[in-house]
Amino acid sequence: MSRIEEFKKFIKRKKIFQPSPTIYESIAGFYEYGPFGIMIKNKLVNVMRSEFQKYQFWEVEFPLIMPPKVWEASGHLERFVDKITTCQKCNNIYRIDKLIEENYPDLKLLEMSDQGLKKFLEENEIICPKCKTRLTDVGDYNLMIEVGVAGRQAFLRPETATTTYLAFKDYYSLFRNQMPIKIYQFGKAYRNEITARQGLIRTREFEQFEGQIFILKEQEHPFEEFQHVKDIKLPFWSSDAQVHGKEPELYSLEETIDKKILQKEAFAYCFAVAYDLLARIELDLNKLRLRQHLPDERAHYAHDAWDLEVETEQFGWVEICGIHDRGDYDLGRHQKFSKTSLEVKNSKGEKEVPQILEIAFGVGRLMYCLIEQKFTIRDGKNLLLLPKEISPVQCAVFPLMNKDGLGDIAAKINRALVINGIASVLDLKGSIGKRYARMDEIGTPYCFTVDYQSKKDETVTIRDRDDTSQIRVPISDIPSIVRDKFLKSS
Ligand SMILES: [Zn+2]
């Protein structure tokens, strides 16, 4: 069986994530995480928090539900829409672009009116893939999920970003009127995808981790902090290179500015924030590219937009992060719709609406890419080579036999570990080989084995997941040994 087939079985067997609920019919695009899965995700999010804090971002949290006015201002009510056609016979809904992209790849759908689309469907005799009825209906499908709150219309947020923007004035006064201001938010968002697919890649409920830099125009270039990160190298694939059929090329951030691939140092700095996180979680940087949006796929307000993509075995290139220069669009719109001034003064004393630079990660996608990459088969057995700080369980304790007092010693060691805040499990069942294999499969970095020598000299063996090496250590030192190892790995 191939690695990827084994991997899919592993996800299922260990309940890392799965469609939810499992005992009733589920709605596509909603997932639950089992005990190991949520541990991995939580630890990944903790690493993300610590990386963004390193770049001096502050965290905020906002409600998932917001009134229509917010989405009117953000543009989501009007523009967050797919063109659909509904089969008049079987009631199936299709995205028109997906339905016809294969046969008419050059068609500029975005430029067509509803009348034009209707005419196109009729003239080309487009039929329902399911029941073969001719399709003629054209409609709008908003991707936001509408909810009612005490009889009033509201929407589940389709992104965290918009909610982060709403309190800009508060950040400005809290941080004593000093710009730039860096804020991130982690939390759920919802999109009513017409077809949810590809596991965690396109879900209707998902988690985002989005950093926003509120900045004055004059601060964007030059940008002081850029000096610390300018030598970081990444594979950039500009829209120009894509159009000319060229491959991504490795450039330092300084070179991207010199070659005018990126226009502003503050924007280039956003790529460093993303890069540092990926390097820390040991994502294979050879399977990474930064793809610039082509002019016609860019949001209407965006000055520049790039997708950070990871090559996966199961789904090909997957976007895990968007890096966007949103200009003053967002705060400008919220200023207009809320009739609240969101302007601040620049160094010349002139008022301006701040610019926003965004680093937007999808947490589920990032987690998927990481575990797919780190899933390995060693000597015919599964091994999850996650970075040690992200492994769901930090260590395990086994007695060689569960008799002659060995089990009691193991239980004592395990207790010493857990009361010291270390995620440890005690496993008494099965052969030692099978117990190691169970721990390797979920990526447990260290296993302690209590044997007969332990009774004589109060030592145990510690086995390292990565190279399976074993050494003897004194039982009394175990909590501090584990703490040291995890400090070194992070
Ligand atoms: Zn039909």
Side-chain angles (χ1 to χ4, degrees):
M1 196 183 295
S2 70
R3 186 189 77 97
I4 202 71
E5 291 306 318
E6 275 298 343
F7 171 70
K8 288 187 212 166
K9 277 174 56 187
F10 154 76
I11 294 292
K12 267 199 180 142
R13 194 174 58 248
K14 290 291 176 188
K15 316 291 180 200
I16 304 295
F17 53 82
Q18 59 188 347
S20 188
T22 54
I23 62 168
Y24 295 104
E25 192 186 348
S26 60
I27 306 170
F30 292 86
Y31 282 81
E32 63 189 40
Y33 291 81
F36 300 129
I38 195 66
M39 287 281 255
I40 295 172
K41 191 171 77 173
N42 286 345
K43 289 183 175 190
L44 175 61
V45 170
N46 284 343
V47 168
M48 297 177 89
R49 285 195 162 106
S50 95
E51 282 299 312
F52 273 72
Q53 279 157 15
K54 196 173 95 189
Y55 283 90
Q56 293 172 346
F57 282 74
W58 293 85
E59 182 166 4
V60 294
E61 185 181 290
F62 284 81
L64 307 188
I65 293 174
M66 284 278 168
K69 196 82 184 171
V70 170
W71 309 114
E72 196 187 332
S74 71
H76 284 91
L77 267 180
E78 187 191 348
R79 293 186 183 267
F80 202 49
V81 164
D82 282 336
K83 287 289 171 196
I84 54 159
T85 177
T86 308
C87 175
Q88 302 299 311
K89 193 171 169 201
C90 72
N91 281 325
N92 266 298
I93 297 173
Y94 303 99
R95 262 176 74 169
I96 297 178
D97 57 346
K98 294 284 167 208
L99 193 64
I100 62 179
E101 70 184 355
E102 217 167 279
N103 294 328
Y104 305 90
D106 297 327
L107 200 68
K108 293 260 183 276
L109 269 177
L110 284 176
E111 294 164 15
M112 291 168 74
S113 65
D114 283 8
Q115 278 306 316
L117 282 172
K118 197 170 156 58
K119 207 170 142 204
F120 176 87
L121 292 177
E122 284 170 356
E123 280 176 0
N124 294 281
E125 299 183 13
I126 306 294
I127 56 166
C128 170
K130 203 147 196 194
C131 75
K132 312 293 174 206
T133 305
R134 278 175 62 177
L135 295 166
T136 54
D137 169 78
V138 174
D140 287 340
Y141 181 93
N142 196 296
L143 291 167
M144 284 195 296
I145 296 178
E146 195 178 328
V147 291
V149 179
R152 292 181 62 181
Q153 187 192 35
F155 293 93
L156 286 171
R157 63 184 183 186
E159 59 170 30
T160 65
T162 288
T163 60
T164 306
Y165 303 148
L166 302 178
F168 168 71
K169 274 190 77 175
D170 296 337
Y171 315 141
Y172 188 62
S173 63
L174 274 173
F175 302 119
R176 300 184 296 124
N177 301 359
Q178 286 182 61
M179 299 283 285
I181 295 167
K182 300 173 190 164
I183 306 280
Y184 72 85
Q185 187 177 178
F186 159 66
K188 295 219 188 240
Y190 297 81
R191 290 186 189 173
N192 202 1
E193 301 284 353
I194 294 167
T195 34
R197 60 202 152 84
Q198 299 186 316
L200 286 190
I201 305 305
R202 194 167 297 281
T203 55
R204 291 183 168 125
E205 177 185 74
F206 50 96
E207 272 156 333
Q208 294 184 313
F209 194 111
E210 300 189 306
Q212 318 290 337
I213 304 179
F214 301 90
I215 189 166
L216 294 169
K217 253 197 152 89
E218 65 188 11
Q219 295 175 324
E220 288 187 290
H221 191 88
F223 182 63
E224 207 184 297
E225 290 170 80
F226 180 68
Q227 291 310 311
H228 309 305
V229 300
K230 63 183 170 48
D231 296 325
I232 288 175
K233 280 191 173 173
L234 282 166
F236 283 88
W237 200 24
S238 66
S239 59
D240 194 54
Q242 293 166 53
V243 169
H244 290 97
K246 290 187 203 152
E247 293 293 305
E249 249 186 279
L250 209 55
Y251 292 115
S252 71
L253 294 177
E254 190 173 33
E255 286 171 318
T256 64
I257 296 290
D258 292 345
K259 293 180 188 296
K260 304 220 178 300
I261 296 166
L262 300 176
Q263 313 304 318
K264 303 166 195 164
E265 288 181 358
F267 189 50
Y269 169 87
C270 295
F271 292 77
V273 179
Y275 165 86
D276 255 11
L277 168 67
L278 301 183
R280 171 145 165 207
I281 63 172
E282 299 167 21
L283 209 73
D284 183 353
L285 299 176
N286 294 313
K287 291 190 172 153
L288 194 75
R289 71 182 182 198
L290 283 152
R291 191 181 67 80
Q292 189 175 29
H293 284 197
L294 296 167
D296 65 354
E297 71 179 305
R298 209 185 296 156
H300 59 288
Y301 53 81
H303 292 198
D304 195 6
W306 295 72
D307 286 345
L308 210 164
E309 298 179 329
V310 173
E311 191 174 19
T312 65
E313 203 169 322
Q314 201 178 177
F315 305 118
W317 288 95
V318 168
E319 178 206 341
I320 55 160
C321 175
I323 301 178
H324 308 130
D325 178 352
R326 303 177 66 119
D328 65 2
Y329 171 81
D330 301 281
L331 292 187
R333 292 274 293 193
H334 290 301
Q335 170 167 279
K336 187 175 148 201
F337 281 76
S338 67
K339 301 191 177 67
T340 306
S341 169
L342 299 176
E343 286 177 326
V344 300
K345 280 184 185 159
N346 66 21
S347 64
K348 292 182 204 127
E350 301 158 343
K351 281 185 172 179
E352 71 175 66
V353 172
Q355 313 287 308
I356 293 178
L357 305 173
E358 177 183 49
I359 309 144
F361 277 98
V363 176
R365 288 180 174 202
L366 180 59
M367 171 174 158
Y368 175 82
C369 292
L370 184 66
I371 54 180
E372 195 210 86
Q373 245 181 43
K374 299 299 175 190
F375 182 80
T376 311
I377 294 172
R378 180 172 68 193
D379 303 332
K381 291 190 183 114
N382 296 345
L383 174 65
L384 192 60
L385 280 172
L386 283 176
K388 289 174 178 171
E389 62 179 336
I390 293 177
S391 296
V393 176
Q394 291 174 292
C395 50
V397 187
F398 315 140
L400 188 64
M401 310 274 191
N402 191 16
K403 58 179 187 184
D404 304 330
L406 300 187
D408 295 339
I409 299 173
K412 254 188 212 159
I413 294 171
N414 189 57
R415 175 147 175 79
L417 285 162
V418 294
I419 63 171
N420 274 283
I422 294 160
S424 175
V425 296
L426 177 67
D427 189 353
L428 306 171
K429 276 172 70 183
S431 72
I432 282 290
K434 281 203 175 122
R435 282 182 269 175
Y436 283 145
R438 274 202 289 274
M439 285 299 136
D440 284 345
E441 186 169 36
I442 56 164
T444 307
Y446 304 106
C447 295
F448 295 95
T449 301
V450 177
D451 54 19
Y452 286 97
Q453 194 182 325
S454 309
K455 284 178 79 172
K456 285 181 220 149
D457 63 4
E458 303 211 334
T459 64
V460 294
T461 60
I462 172 171
R463 171 186 179 271
D464 187 305
R465 174 196 76 187
D466 294 356
D467 58 11
T468 72
S469 65
Q470 295 190 38
I471 53 167
R472 290 200 83 86
V473 296
I475 289 173
S476 55
D477 292 354
I478 289 176
S480 64
I481 289 171
V482 175
R483 267 203 307 265
D484 282 355
K485 285 191 181 289
F486 279 93
L487 276 179
K488 267 181 236 151
S489 79
S490 61

